[in-house]
Amino acid sequence: MRPRKLLLGVFHGVPATQKSVFNIPAGPDTIVLYQKNIEAVCSTEEEIREQVTLTVMHEIGHFFGMTEDQLRDV
């Protein structure tokens, strides 16, 4: 059995590609990072720094409307 992948971060909000000036804002868009999960997949502080950077960039990609497949290609 393959181990589950841990969720390292998540984007909460409306992607920029779906926003409209006619929509009522529902609050600020946010990115949440899961510290314990990031620490679980990294073994050094340098790896943690790199993983945080990659995770934030990944979630920013979701903000710009990119799918998981598109993010994997980038």
Side-chain angles (χ1 to χ4, degrees):
M1 192 169 169
R2 235 167 98 188
R4 276 182 6 164
K5 288 188 175 186
L6 293 174
L7 183 63
L8 304 180
V10 66
F11 166 71
H12 291 286
V14 179
T17 56
Q18 297 176 8
K19 288 187 179 186
S20 168
V21 294
F22 301 108
N23 292 351
I24 298 171
D29 296 333
T30 58
I31 293 174
V32 176
L33 300 180
Y34 296 103
Q35 179 181 349
K36 299 273 186 202
N37 290 355
I38 291 172
E39 290 172 346
V41 299
C42 299
S43 55
T44 66
E45 282 191 36
E46 180 62 30
E47 285 181 12
I48 291 172
R49 284 188 194 95
E50 290 175 20
Q51 188 59 60
V52 166
T53 300
L54 289 172
T55 303
V56 169
M57 290 175 65
H58 180 93
E59 300 308 327
I60 289 172
H62 286 307
F63 168 77
F64 286 111
M66 297 175 75
T67 65
E68 289 296 328
D69 289 335
Q70 290 171 323
L71 289 167
R72 258 185 241 108
D73 290 343
V74 174

